[in-house]
Amino acid sequence: MKMGEGVEWGLHCCLTLAWLGADTPVPTARLAAAFELPPAYLNKRLQALVRAGLLTSTPGARGGFRLARPPEAITLMDVVTAVEGPEDPFRCAEIRQQGIGAGLPAAEFAQPCAFTTAMRRAELAWRRELAAQTLADIMAAAPASAAERTRRWFERPAAR
C-alpha cells in the first residue's frame, strides 16, 4: 500500500499545530517553511483537513490554520482518510471470471475472491491500528526536545 506524501505532511502539520497549541492561526507559508515544502501543495492538503473537520482555517493576512479538535480527538486514520480519501486500497476486478474462468457457471464465483477477503482483512487491521492512535499519543511518544525545538522555531520571526 502506498500513500501520497500529503499524508506525511498532514500528520506533521497537525502535530506541529498540536505542539503549538495555537491560539492564533499559523499561516500555510510558515508551516511550509518549517518543513521546506511547497506552500501551494501543502495548502491543498491542509484544506482537505479543514473539509474533514480536523483543522479550522482563518482567511486573510493574519489567517492560517489551527486544530479544530483536541489532539486526543484526532486519530491518525482521520488524517489519512482526509488526505487520501475513504476508498479501499485494493479493488478486485474479478479477473478470475476472465480467461480460463470465462463462461463458467455463476455458482463457481458465489464465494468472494480469496484475495479480496485477505486484502480486506489486512486493510481493516491497518485501519483499526491507525484509528486507535491519536495525535495526543504521538505527542506523548515523541521526544520532548522535538516539541521544544518546534515551539522555538515558530517563536522566531518569519524570514522575509
Side-chain angles (χ1 to χ4, degrees), residues 7 52 54 76-87 126-127:
V7 171
L54 305 176
L76 302 187
M77 193 69 233
D78 291 335
V79 176
V80 170
T81 302
V83 175
E84 290 287 305
E87 296 82 28
W126 173 77
R127 287 180 182 271

Side-chain angles (χ1 to χ4, degrees), residues 120-146:
R120 185 68 180 146
R121 199 169 41 245
E123 180 198 345
L124 289 173
W126 173 77
R127 287 180 182 271
R128 272 192 302 273
E129 184 62 27
L130 291 179
Q133 295 180 65
T134 67
L135 277 181
D137 296 330
I138 300 301
M139 292 170 75
S145 60

Side-chain angles (χ1 to χ4, degrees), residues 72-110:
E72 54 276 356
I74 298 175
T75 71
L76 302 187
M77 193 69 233
D78 291 335
V79 176
V80 170
T81 302
V83 175
E84 290 287 305
E87 296 82 28
D88 294 343
F90 181 80
R91 289 169 202 84
C92 181
E94 278 294 338
I95 66 168
R96 65 189 179 148
Q97 295 183 38
Q98 301 170 21
I100 61 173
L104 291 175
E108 289 283 327
F109 307 106

Side-chain angles (χ1 to χ4, degrees), residues 7 10-11 13-15 17-18 45-57 65-84 135:
V7 171
L11 289 165
C13 286
C14 285
L15 180 61
L17 294 170
R45 301 302 141 242
L46 297 175
Q47 289 300 328
L49 297 172
V50 169
R51 285 189 299 277
L54 305 176
L55 299 181
T56 60
S57 175
F65 296 90
R66 286 184 279 214
L67 289 181
R69 300 188 277 199
E72 54 276 356
I74 298 175
T75 71
L76 302 187
M77 193 69 233
D78 291 335
V79 176
V80 170
T81 302
V83 175
E84 290 287 305
L135 277 181

